[in-house]
Amino acid sequence: MNKQVQAHEDGTPADRIEERAERIKQATTHAVTNTKEAVERAADHVEEGLHRATDKAADAASRASEKADEYRQRGRDAYDGAVDRADEWLEVARDYVREKPVQSVAIALGAGWLLGRILRR
């Protein structure tokens, strides 16, 4: 037999227990180190995923905000256009009433009578 095996066999029970305890300690340290590294890799992976998701959400929010601004401007333009047209029609109606007051009153009375008949039904 070789000397190491012989020394192992010749060692006292305390020596054997100490040697086994040292091996268990090394194995435990190795397992803890490997687990810690695996957890760190998993945490890094999760963090990268969260960063990607956050970037995508921020990009989507930015695009939505831009679209909302675009639609708000379109609505404002449509409103301004409608107000301008209404002002033009009102001015045309005023001019007509100034030019032909008797006919304007007759048209207003006729329209009021017709509207009253329609709403009574």
PDB file of all heavy atoms in Angstrom, residues 31-71:
ATOM      1  N   ALA A  31     -20.102  24.469  -3.211  1.00  0.00           N
ATOM      2  CA  ALA A  31     -21.529  24.520  -3.551  1.00  0.00           C
ATOM      3  C   ALA A  31     -22.092  25.927  -3.345  1.00  0.00           C
ATOM      4  O   ALA A  31     -22.855  26.431  -4.175  1.00  0.00           O
ATOM      5  CB  ALA A  31     -22.307  23.513  -2.713  1.00  0.00           C
ATOM      6  N   VAL A  32     -21.704  26.575  -2.248  1.00  0.00           N
ATOM      7  CA  VAL A  32     -22.182  27.932  -1.977  1.00  0.00           C
ATOM      8  C   VAL A  32     -21.664  28.895  -3.046  1.00  0.00           C
ATOM      9  O   VAL A  32     -22.407  29.740  -3.554  1.00  0.00           O
ATOM     10  CB  VAL A  32     -21.763  28.388  -0.560  1.00  0.00           C
ATOM     11  CG1 VAL A  32     -21.970  29.881  -0.378  1.00  0.00           C
ATOM     12  CG2 VAL A  32     -22.529  27.610   0.491  1.00  0.00           C
ATOM     13  N   THR A  33     -20.410  28.750  -3.417  1.00  0.00           N
ATOM     14  CA  THR A  33     -19.816  29.611  -4.444  1.00  0.00           C
ATOM     15  C   THR A  33     -20.537  29.416  -5.773  1.00  0.00           C
ATOM     16  O   THR A  33     -20.892  30.394  -6.451  1.00  0.00           O
ATOM     17  CB  THR A  33     -18.312  29.326  -4.601  1.00  0.00           C
ATOM     18  OG1 THR A  33     -17.668  29.540  -3.340  1.00  0.00           O
ATOM     19  CG2 THR A  33     -17.686  30.219  -5.656  1.00  0.00           C
ATOM     20  N   ASN A  34     -20.760  28.161  -6.161  1.00  0.00           N
ATOM     21  CA  ASN A  34     -21.453  27.879  -7.421  1.00  0.00           C
ATOM     22  C   ASN A  34     -22.886  28.424  -7.392  1.00  0.00           C
ATOM     23  O   ASN A  34     -23.364  28.994  -8.373  1.00  0.00           O
ATOM     24  CB  ASN A  34     -21.482  26.375  -7.703  1.00  0.00           C
ATOM     25  CG  ASN A  34     -20.126  25.857  -8.126  1.00  0.00           C
ATOM     26  OD1 ASN A  34     -19.247  26.619  -8.513  1.00  0.00           O
ATOM     27  ND2 ASN A  34     -19.950  24.557  -8.040  1.00  0.00           N
ATOM     28  N   THR A  35     -23.559  28.258  -6.257  1.00  0.00           N
ATOM     29  CA  THR A  35     -24.927  28.757  -6.134  1.00  0.00           C
ATOM     30  C   THR A  35     -24.951  30.275  -6.216  1.00  0.00           C
ATOM     31  O   THR A  35     -25.800  30.863  -6.890  1.00  0.00           O
ATOM     32  CB  THR A  35     -25.555  28.282  -4.812  1.00  0.00           C
ATOM     33  OG1 THR A  35     -25.513  26.853  -4.762  1.00  0.00           O
ATOM     34  CG2 THR A  35     -26.978  28.754  -4.670  1.00  0.00           C
ATOM     35  N   LYS A  36     -23.999  30.902  -5.537  1.00  0.00           N
ATOM     36  CA  LYS A  36     -23.919  32.365  -5.562  1.00  0.00           C
ATOM     37  C   LYS A  36     -23.694  32.862  -6.985  1.00  0.00           C
ATOM     38  O   LYS A  36     -24.342  33.813  -7.431  1.00  0.00           O
ATOM     39  CB  LYS A  36     -22.785  32.833  -4.649  1.00  0.00           C
ATOM     40  CG  LYS A  36     -22.631  34.334  -4.597  1.00  0.00           C
ATOM     41  CD  LYS A  36     -21.492  34.726  -3.684  1.00  0.00           C
ATOM     42  CE  LYS A  36     -21.247  36.225  -3.739  1.00  0.00           C
ATOM     43  NZ  LYS A  36     -20.070  36.625  -3.007  1.00  0.00           N
ATOM     44  N   GLU A  37     -22.804  32.215  -7.722  1.00  0.00           N
ATOM     45  CA  GLU A  37     -22.538  32.609  -9.108  1.00  0.00           C
ATOM     46  C   GLU A  37     -23.777  32.413  -9.975  1.00  0.00           C
ATOM     47  O   GLU A  37     -24.103  33.256 -10.814  1.00  0.00           O
ATOM     48  CB  GLU A  37     -21.356  31.820  -9.665  1.00  0.00           C
ATOM     49  CG  GLU A  37     -20.024  32.214  -9.057  1.00  0.00           C
ATOM     50  CD  GLU A  37     -18.886  31.281  -9.466  1.00  0.00           C
ATOM     51  OE1 GLU A  37     -19.144  30.298 -10.198  1.00  0.00           O
ATOM     52  OE2 GLU A  37     -17.749  31.539  -9.064  1.00  0.00           O
ATOM     53  N   ALA A  38     -24.489  31.297  -9.762  1.00  0.00           N
ATOM     54  CA  ALA A  38     -25.702  31.036 -10.540  1.00  0.00           C
ATOM     55  C   ALA A  38     -26.774  32.082 -10.237  1.00  0.00           C
ATOM     56  O   ALA A  38     -27.454  32.581 -11.143  1.00  0.00           O
ATOM     57  CB  ALA A  38     -26.226  29.631 -10.242  1.00  0.00           C
ATOM     58  N   VAL A  39     -26.920  32.441  -8.975  1.00  0.00           N
ATOM     59  CA  VAL A  39     -27.902  33.457  -8.591  1.00  0.00           C
ATOM     60  C   VAL A  39     -27.520  34.809  -9.183  1.00  0.00           C
ATOM     61  O   VAL A  39     -28.385  35.557  -9.676  1.00  0.00           O
ATOM     62  CB  VAL A  39     -28.040  33.527  -7.055  1.00  0.00           C
ATOM     63  CG1 VAL A  39     -28.810  34.754  -6.622  1.00  0.00           C
ATOM     64  CG2 VAL A  39     -28.695  32.270  -6.521  1.00  0.00           C
ATOM     65  N   GLU A  40     -26.243  35.153  -9.162  1.00  0.00           N
ATOM     66  CA  GLU A  40     -25.796  36.418  -9.742  1.00  0.00           C
ATOM     67  C   GLU A  40     -26.054  36.457 -11.244  1.00  0.00           C
ATOM     68  O   GLU A  40     -26.498  37.485 -11.778  1.00  0.00           O
ATOM     69  CB  GLU A  40     -24.316  36.643  -9.445  1.00  0.00           C
ATOM     70  CG  GLU A  40     -24.035  37.021  -7.994  1.00  0.00           C
ATOM     71  CD  GLU A  40     -22.560  37.105  -7.669  1.00  0.00           C
ATOM     72  OE1 GLU A  40     -21.707  36.741  -8.525  1.00  0.00           O
ATOM     73  OE2 GLU A  40     -22.230  37.536  -6.552  1.00  0.00           O
ATOM     74  N   ARG A  41     -25.799  35.326 -11.939  1.00  0.00           N
ATOM     75  CA  ARG A  41     -26.079  35.274 -13.381  1.00  0.00           C
ATOM     76  C   ARG A  41     -27.572  35.439 -13.640  1.00  0.00           C
ATOM     77  O   ARG A  41     -27.986  36.173 -14.538  1.00  0.00           O
ATOM     78  CB  ARG A  41     -25.581  33.956 -13.978  1.00  0.00           C
ATOM     79  CG  ARG A  41     -24.084  33.897 -14.193  1.00  0.00           C
ATOM     80  CD  ARG A  41     -23.684  32.701 -15.051  1.00  0.00           C
ATOM     81  NE  ARG A  41     -24.132  31.430 -14.519  1.00  0.00           N
ATOM     82  CZ  ARG A  41     -23.457  30.658 -13.667  1.00  0.00           C
ATOM     83  NH1 ARG A  41     -22.274  31.058 -13.234  1.00  0.00           N
ATOM     84  NH2 ARG A  41     -23.959  29.519 -13.244  1.00  0.00           N
ATOM     85  N   ALA A  42     -28.390  34.757 -12.830  1.00  0.00           N
ATOM     86  CA  ALA A  42     -29.847  34.869 -12.985  1.00  0.00           C
ATOM     87  C   ALA A  42     -30.305  36.301 -12.713  1.00  0.00           C
ATOM     88  O   ALA A  42     -31.148  36.845 -13.436  1.00  0.00           O
ATOM     89  CB  ALA A  42     -30.559  33.887 -12.058  1.00  0.00           C
ATOM     90  N   ALA A  43     -29.750  36.930 -11.689  1.00  0.00           N
ATOM     91  CA  ALA A  43     -30.117  38.318 -11.364  1.00  0.00           C
ATOM     92  C   ALA A  43     -29.716  39.254 -12.501  1.00  0.00           C
ATOM     93  O   ALA A  43     -30.481  40.168 -12.856  1.00  0.00           O
ATOM     94  CB  ALA A  43     -29.459  38.744 -10.055  1.00  0.00           C
ATOM     95  N   ASP A  44     -28.531  39.033 -13.067  1.00  0.00           N
ATOM     96  CA  ASP A  44     -28.096  39.854 -14.203  1.00  0.00           C
ATOM     97  C   ASP A  44     -29.041  39.679 -15.385  1.00  0.00           C
ATOM     98  O   ASP A  44     -29.401  40.644 -16.059  1.00  0.00           O
ATOM     99  CB  ASP A  44     -26.667  39.492 -14.616  1.00  0.00           C
ATOM    100  CG  ASP A  44     -25.621  39.953 -13.619  1.00  0.00           C
ATOM    101  OD1 ASP A  44     -25.955  40.815 -12.771  1.00  0.00           O
ATOM    102  OD2 ASP A  44     -24.481  39.449 -13.685  1.00  0.00           O
ATOM    103  N   HIS A  45     -29.448  38.445 -15.628  1.00  0.00           N
ATOM    104  CA  HIS A  45     -30.366  38.146 -16.735  1.00  0.00           C
ATOM    105  C   HIS A  45     -31.712  38.842 -16.503  1.00  0.00           C
ATOM    106  O   HIS A  45     -32.277  39.454 -17.420  1.00  0.00           O
ATOM    107  CB  HIS A  45     -30.542  36.631 -16.857  1.00  0.00           C
ATOM    108  CG  HIS A  45     -31.392  36.224 -18.000  1.00  0.00           C
ATOM    109  ND1 HIS A  45     -31.007  36.380 -19.304  1.00  0.00           N
ATOM    110  CD2 HIS A  45     -32.634  35.677 -18.036  1.00  0.00           C
ATOM    111  CE1 HIS A  45     -31.963  35.949 -20.095  1.00  0.00           C
ATOM    112  NE2 HIS A  45     -32.963  35.520 -19.348  1.00  0.00           N
ATOM    113  N   VAL A  46     -32.214  38.762 -15.288  1.00  0.00           N
ATOM    114  CA  VAL A  46     -33.486  39.415 -14.954  1.00  0.00           C
ATOM    115  C   VAL A  46     -33.355  40.928 -15.095  1.00  0.00           C
ATOM    116  O   VAL A  46     -34.238  41.603 -15.639  1.00  0.00           O
ATOM    117  CB  VAL A  46     -33.945  39.027 -13.531  1.00  0.00           C
ATOM    118  CG1 VAL A  46     -35.078  39.902 -13.059  1.00  0.00           C
ATOM    119  CG2 VAL A  46     -34.339  37.557 -13.487  1.00  0.00           C
ATOM    120  N   GLU A  47     -32.245  41.469 -14.617  1.00  0.00           N
ATOM    121  CA  GLU A  47     -32.028  42.913 -14.708  1.00  0.00           C
ATOM    122  C   GLU A  47     -31.985  43.371 -16.162  1.00  0.00           C
ATOM    123  O   GLU A  47     -32.582  44.394 -16.525  1.00  0.00           O
ATOM    124  CB  GLU A  47     -30.729  43.286 -13.993  1.00  0.00           C
ATOM    125  CG  GLU A  47     -30.479  44.774 -13.930  1.00  0.00           C
ATOM    126  CD  GLU A  47     -29.202  45.115 -13.174  1.00  0.00           C
ATOM    127  OE1 GLU A  47     -28.401  44.216 -12.878  1.00  0.00           O
ATOM    128  OE2 GLU A  47     -29.022  46.312 -12.904  1.00  0.00           O
ATOM    129  N   GLU A  48     -31.304  42.605 -17.013  1.00  0.00           N
ATOM    130  CA  GLU A  48     -31.252  42.953 -18.436  1.00  0.00           C
ATOM    131  C   GLU A  48     -32.651  42.915 -19.041  1.00  0.00           C
ATOM    132  O   GLU A  48     -33.023  43.791 -19.823  1.00  0.00           O
ATOM    133  CB  GLU A  48     -30.330  41.984 -19.179  1.00  0.00           C
ATOM    134  CG  GLU A  48     -28.866  42.178 -18.876  1.00  0.00           C
ATOM    135  CD  GLU A  48     -27.995  41.085 -19.488  1.00  0.00           C
ATOM    136  OE1 GLU A  48     -28.508  40.286 -20.307  1.00  0.00           O
ATOM    137  OE2 GLU A  48     -26.812  41.027 -19.153  1.00  0.00           O
ATOM    138  N   GLY A  49     -33.429  41.895 -18.667  1.00  0.00           N
ATOM    139  CA  GLY A  49     -34.799  41.799 -19.167  1.00  0.00           C
ATOM    140  C   GLY A  49     -35.648  42.980 -18.717  1.00  0.00           C
ATOM    141  O   GLY A  49     -36.439  43.519 -19.499  1.00  0.00           O
ATOM    142  N   LEU A  50     -35.471  43.375 -17.464  1.00  0.00           N
ATOM    143  CA  LEU A  50     -36.219  44.532 -16.964  1.00  0.00           C
ATOM    144  C   LEU A  50     -35.822  45.811 -17.689  1.00  0.00           C
ATOM    145  O   LEU A  50     -36.681  46.646 -17.999  1.00  0.00           O
ATOM    146  CB  LEU A  50     -35.997  44.692 -15.458  1.00  0.00           C
ATOM    147  CG  LEU A  50     -36.707  43.670 -14.576  1.00  0.00           C
ATOM    148  CD1 LEU A  50     -36.265  43.835 -13.128  1.00  0.00           C
ATOM    149  CD2 LEU A  50     -38.204  43.807 -14.702  1.00  0.00           C
ATOM    150  N   HIS A  51     -34.541  45.962 -17.966  1.00  0.00           N
ATOM    151  CA  HIS A  51     -34.082  47.147 -18.703  1.00  0.00           C
ATOM    152  C   HIS A  51     -34.692  47.165 -20.108  1.00  0.00           C
ATOM    153  O   HIS A  51     -35.153  48.214 -20.571  1.00  0.00           O
ATOM    154  CB  HIS A  51     -32.554  47.193 -18.786  1.00  0.00           C
ATOM    155  CG  HIS A  51     -31.893  47.635 -17.532  1.00  0.00           C
ATOM    156  ND1 HIS A  51     -32.094  48.876 -16.977  1.00  0.00           N
ATOM    157  CD2 HIS A  51     -31.018  46.999 -16.708  1.00  0.00           C
ATOM    158  CE1 HIS A  51     -31.380  48.985 -15.867  1.00  0.00           C
ATOM    159  NE2 HIS A  51     -30.721  47.856 -15.681  1.00  0.00           N
ATOM    160  N   ARG A  52     -34.691  46.008 -20.764  1.00  0.00           N
ATOM    161  CA  ARG A  52     -35.280  45.940 -22.106  1.00  0.00           C
ATOM    162  C   ARG A  52     -36.767  46.269 -22.052  1.00  0.00           C
ATOM    163  O   ARG A  52     -37.280  47.024 -22.872  1.00  0.00           O
ATOM    164  CB  ARG A  52     -35.063  44.563 -22.726  1.00  0.00           C
ATOM    165  CG  ARG A  52     -33.664  44.349 -23.283  1.00  0.00           C
ATOM    166  CD  ARG A  52     -33.593  43.115 -24.163  1.00  0.00           C
ATOM    167  NE  ARG A  52     -33.989  41.900 -23.476  1.00  0.00           N
ATOM    168  CZ  ARG A  52     -33.191  41.115 -22.776  1.00  0.00           C
ATOM    169  NH1 ARG A  52     -31.919  41.430 -22.655  1.00  0.00           N
ATOM    170  NH2 ARG A  52     -33.640  40.022 -22.196  1.00  0.00           N
ATOM    171  N   ALA A  53     -37.463  45.697 -21.074  1.00  0.00           N
ATOM    172  CA  ALA A  53     -38.902  45.947 -20.949  1.00  0.00           C
ATOM    173  C   ALA A  53     -39.171  47.414 -20.643  1.00  0.00           C
ATOM    174  O   ALA A  53     -40.103  48.015 -21.204  1.00  0.00           O
ATOM    175  CB  ALA A  53     -39.499  45.052 -19.855  1.00  0.00           C
ATOM    176  N   THR A  54     -38.371  48.004 -19.781  1.00  0.00           N
ATOM    177  CA  THR A  54     -38.533  49.418 -19.443  1.00  0.00           C
ATOM    178  C   THR A  54     -38.292  50.294 -20.667  1.00  0.00           C
ATOM    179  O   THR A  54     -39.040  51.243 -20.909  1.00  0.00           O
ATOM    180  CB  THR A  54     -37.564  49.812 -18.313  1.00  0.00           C
ATOM    181  OG1 THR A  54     -37.819  48.989 -17.178  1.00  0.00           O
ATOM    182  CG2 THR A  54     -37.719  51.266 -17.920  1.00  0.00           C
ATOM    183  N   ASP A  55     -37.260  49.958 -21.432  1.00  0.00           N
ATOM    184  CA  ASP A  55     -36.973  50.723 -22.644  1.00  0.00           C
ATOM    185  C   ASP A  55     -38.123  50.621 -23.643  1.00  0.00           C
ATOM    186  O   ASP A  55     -38.519  51.617 -24.250  1.00  0.00           O
ATOM    187  CB  ASP A  55     -35.676  50.242 -23.296  1.00  0.00           C
ATOM    188  CG  ASP A  55     -34.444  50.599 -22.480  1.00  0.00           C
ATOM    189  OD1 ASP A  55     -34.550  51.465 -21.582  1.00  0.00           O
ATOM    190  OD2 ASP A  55     -33.373  50.007 -22.734  1.00  0.00           O
ATOM    191  N   LYS A  56     -38.671  49.417 -23.792  1.00  0.00           N
ATOM    192  CA  LYS A  56     -39.795  49.237 -24.716  1.00  0.00           C
ATOM    193  C   LYS A  56     -41.012  50.010 -24.238  1.00  0.00           C
ATOM    194  O   LYS A  56     -41.714  50.642 -25.029  1.00  0.00           O
ATOM    195  CB  LYS A  56     -40.143  47.753 -24.858  1.00  0.00           C
ATOM    196  CG  LYS A  56     -39.159  46.979 -25.699  1.00  0.00           C
ATOM    197  CD  LYS A  56     -39.570  45.532 -25.832  1.00  0.00           C
ATOM    198  CE  LYS A  56     -38.564  44.752 -26.653  1.00  0.00           C
ATOM    199  NZ  LYS A  56     -38.967  43.338 -26.782  1.00  0.00           N
ATOM    200  N   ALA A  57     -41.279  49.970 -22.936  1.00  0.00           N
ATOM    201  CA  ALA A  57     -42.436  50.693 -22.389  1.00  0.00           C
ATOM    202  C   ALA A  57     -42.252  52.198 -22.566  1.00  0.00           C
ATOM    203  O   ALA A  57     -43.196  52.914 -22.918  1.00  0.00           O
ATOM    204  CB  ALA A  57     -42.634  50.341 -20.913  1.00  0.00           C
ATOM    205  N   ALA A  58     -41.047  52.685 -22.324  1.00  0.00           N
ATOM    206  CA  ALA A  58     -40.777  54.123 -22.492  1.00  0.00           C
ATOM    207  C   ALA A  58     -40.932  54.527 -23.951  1.00  0.00           C
ATOM    208  O   ALA A  58     -41.486  55.595 -24.251  1.00  0.00           O
ATOM    209  CB  ALA A  58     -39.369  54.457 -21.998  1.00  0.00           C
ATOM    210  N   ASP A  59     -40.480  53.671 -24.862  1.00  0.00           N
ATOM    211  CA  ASP A  59     -40.610  53.957 -26.286  1.00  0.00           C
ATOM    212  C   ASP A  59     -42.084  53.987 -26.686  1.00  0.00           C
ATOM    213  O   ASP A  59     -42.520  54.893 -27.406  1.00  0.00           O
ATOM    214  CB  ASP A  59     -39.849  52.908 -27.101  1.00  0.00           C
ATOM    215  CG  ASP A  59     -39.841  53.217 -28.583  1.00  0.00           C
ATOM    216  OD1 ASP A  59     -39.589  54.394 -28.927  1.00  0.00           O
ATOM    217  OD2 ASP A  59     -40.076  52.299 -29.390  1.00  0.00           O
ATOM    218  N   ALA A  60     -42.856  53.022 -26.197  1.00  0.00           N
ATOM    219  CA  ALA A  60     -44.294  52.985 -26.508  1.00  0.00           C
ATOM    220  C   ALA A  60     -44.998  54.209 -25.930  1.00  0.00           C
ATOM    221  O   ALA A  60     -45.856  54.809 -26.584  1.00  0.00           O
ATOM    222  CB  ALA A  60     -44.910  51.704 -25.964  1.00  0.00           C
ATOM    223  N   ALA A  61     -44.639  54.596 -24.714  1.00  0.00           N
ATOM    224  CA  ALA A  61     -45.244  55.781 -24.099  1.00  0.00           C
ATOM    225  C   ALA A  61     -44.890  57.036 -24.890  1.00  0.00           C
ATOM    226  O   ALA A  61     -45.737  57.918 -25.079  1.00  0.00           O
ATOM    227  CB  ALA A  61     -44.784  55.919 -22.655  1.00  0.00           C
ATOM    228  N   SER A  62     -43.678  57.121 -25.357  1.00  0.00           N
ATOM    229  CA  SER A  62     -43.246  58.267 -26.144  1.00  0.00           C
ATOM    230  C   SER A  62     -44.028  58.338 -27.459  1.00  0.00           C
ATOM    231  O   SER A  62     -44.508  59.406 -27.856  1.00  0.00           O
ATOM    232  CB  SER A  62     -41.748  58.172 -26.426  1.00  0.00           C
ATOM    233  OG  SER A  62     -41.337  59.209 -27.272  1.00  0.00           O
ATOM    234  N   ARG A  63     -44.170  57.184 -28.124  1.00  0.00           N
ATOM    235  CA  ARG A  63     -44.935  57.160 -29.377  1.00  0.00           C
ATOM    236  C   ARG A  63     -46.399  57.518 -29.133  1.00  0.00           C
ATOM    237  O   ARG A  63     -47.007  58.252 -29.916  1.00  0.00           O
ATOM    238  CB  ARG A  63     -44.826  55.802 -30.053  1.00  0.00           C
ATOM    239  CG  ARG A  63     -43.496  55.630 -30.789  1.00  0.00           C
ATOM    240  CD  ARG A  63     -43.438  54.344 -31.570  1.00  0.00           C
ATOM    241  NE  ARG A  63     -42.987  53.315 -30.636  1.00  0.00           N
ATOM    242  CZ  ARG A  63     -43.530  52.132 -30.483  1.00  0.00           C
ATOM    243  NH1 ARG A  63     -44.562  51.771 -31.191  1.00  0.00           N
ATOM    244  NH2 ARG A  63     -43.051  51.268 -29.619  1.00  0.00           N
ATOM    245  N   ALA A  64     -46.968  57.011 -28.045  1.00  0.00           N
ATOM    246  CA  ALA A  64     -48.362  57.326 -27.719  1.00  0.00           C
ATOM    247  C   ALA A  64     -48.527  58.816 -27.435  1.00  0.00           C
ATOM    248  O   ALA A  64     -49.507  59.435 -27.859  1.00  0.00           O
ATOM    249  CB  ALA A  64     -48.824  56.497 -26.520  1.00  0.00           C
ATOM    250  N   SER A  65     -47.574  59.389 -26.741  1.00  0.00           N
ATOM    251  CA  SER A  65     -47.618  60.817 -26.448  1.00  0.00           C
ATOM    252  C   SER A  65     -47.534  61.634 -27.732  1.00  0.00           C
ATOM    253  O   SER A  65     -48.254  62.627 -27.900  1.00  0.00           O
ATOM    254  CB  SER A  65     -46.478  61.188 -25.499  1.00  0.00           C
ATOM    255  OG  SER A  65     -46.468  62.564 -25.272  1.00  0.00           O
ATOM    256  N   GLU A  66     -46.673  61.217 -28.649  1.00  0.00           N
ATOM    257  CA  GLU A  66     -46.548  61.917 -29.923  1.00  0.00           C
ATOM    258  C   GLU A  66     -47.851  61.843 -30.715  1.00  0.00           C
ATOM    259  O   GLU A  66     -48.293  62.834 -31.299  1.00  0.00           O
ATOM    260  CB  GLU A  66     -45.394  61.335 -30.742  1.00  0.00           C
ATOM    261  CG  GLU A  66     -44.021  61.663 -30.182  1.00  0.00           C
ATOM    262  CD  GLU A  66     -42.907  60.892 -30.867  1.00  0.00           C
ATOM    263  OE1 GLU A  66     -43.192  60.123 -31.832  1.00  0.00           O
ATOM    264  OE2 GLU A  66     -41.747  61.036 -30.457  1.00  0.00           O
ATOM    265  N   LYS A  67     -48.473  60.656 -30.727  1.00  0.00           N
ATOM    266  CA  LYS A  67     -49.756  60.491 -31.427  1.00  0.00           C
ATOM    267  C   LYS A  67     -50.827  61.352 -30.774  1.00  0.00           C
ATOM    268  O   LYS A  67     -51.634  61.975 -31.468  1.00  0.00           O
ATOM    269  CB  LYS A  67     -50.196  59.024 -31.438  1.00  0.00           C
ATOM    270  CG  LYS A  67     -49.482  58.181 -32.440  1.00  0.00           C
ATOM    271  CD  LYS A  67     -49.890  58.589 -33.826  1.00  0.00           C
ATOM    272  CE  LYS A  67     -49.237  57.683 -34.850  1.00  0.00           C
ATOM    273  NZ  LYS A  67     -49.485  58.130 -36.213  1.00  0.00           N
ATOM    274  N   ALA A  68     -50.862  61.377 -29.457  1.00  0.00           N
ATOM    275  CA  ALA A  68     -51.854  62.196 -28.746  1.00  0.00           C
ATOM    276  C   ALA A  68     -51.662  63.673 -29.095  1.00  0.00           C
ATOM    277  O   ALA A  68     -52.646  64.386 -29.324  1.00  0.00           O
ATOM    278  CB  ALA A  68     -51.749  61.975 -27.239  1.00  0.00           C
ATOM    279  N   ASP A  69     -50.424  64.118 -29.152  1.00  0.00           N
ATOM    280  CA  ASP A  69     -50.146  65.505 -29.535  1.00  0.00           C
ATOM    281  C   ASP A  69     -50.620  65.781 -30.958  1.00  0.00           C
ATOM    282  O   ASP A  69     -51.198  66.839 -31.244  1.00  0.00           O
ATOM    283  CB  ASP A  69     -48.657  65.823 -29.415  1.00  0.00           C
ATOM    284  CG  ASP A  69     -48.172  65.901 -27.984  1.00  0.00           C
ATOM    285  OD1 ASP A  69     -49.028  66.054 -27.078  1.00  0.00           O
ATOM    286  OD2 ASP A  69     -46.945  65.810 -27.765  1.00  0.00           O
ATOM    287  N   GLU A  70     -50.367  64.805 -31.841  1.00  0.00           N
ATOM    288  CA  GLU A  70     -50.792  64.960 -33.235  1.00  0.00           C
ATOM    289  C   GLU A  70     -52.317  65.063 -33.332  1.00  0.00           C
ATOM    290  O   GLU A  70     -52.853  65.946 -34.012  1.00  0.00           O
ATOM    291  CB  GLU A  70     -50.296  63.761 -34.051  1.00  0.00           C
ATOM    292  CG  GLU A  70     -50.697  63.792 -35.503  1.00  0.00           C
ATOM    293  CD  GLU A  70     -50.262  62.540 -36.238  1.00  0.00           C
ATOM    294  OE1 GLU A  70     -49.265  61.904 -35.824  1.00  0.00           O
ATOM    295  OE2 GLU A  70     -50.930  62.199 -37.231  1.00  0.00           O
ATOM    296  N   TYR A  71     -53.031  64.175 -32.626  1.00  0.00           N
ATOM    297  CA  TYR A  71     -54.498  64.197 -32.663  1.00  0.00           C
ATOM    298  C   TYR A  71     -55.056  65.452 -31.988  1.00  0.00           C
ATOM    299  O   TYR A  71     -56.059  66.006 -32.433  1.00  0.00           O
ATOM    300  CB  TYR A  71     -55.085  62.944 -32.020  1.00  0.00           C
ATOM    301  CG  TYR A  71     -54.834  61.688 -32.828  1.00  0.00           C
ATOM    302  CD1 TYR A  71     -54.408  60.525 -32.221  1.00  0.00           C
ATOM    303  CD2 TYR A  71     -55.019  61.670 -34.203  1.00  0.00           C
ATOM    304  CE1 TYR A  71     -54.178  59.377 -32.956  1.00  0.00           C
ATOM    305  CE2 TYR A  71     -54.786  60.538 -34.953  1.00  0.00           C
ATOM    306  CZ  TYR A  71     -54.369  59.385 -34.330  1.00  0.00           C
ATOM    307  OH  TYR A  71     -54.140  58.260 -35.055  1.00  0.00           O
TER     308      TYR A  71
END
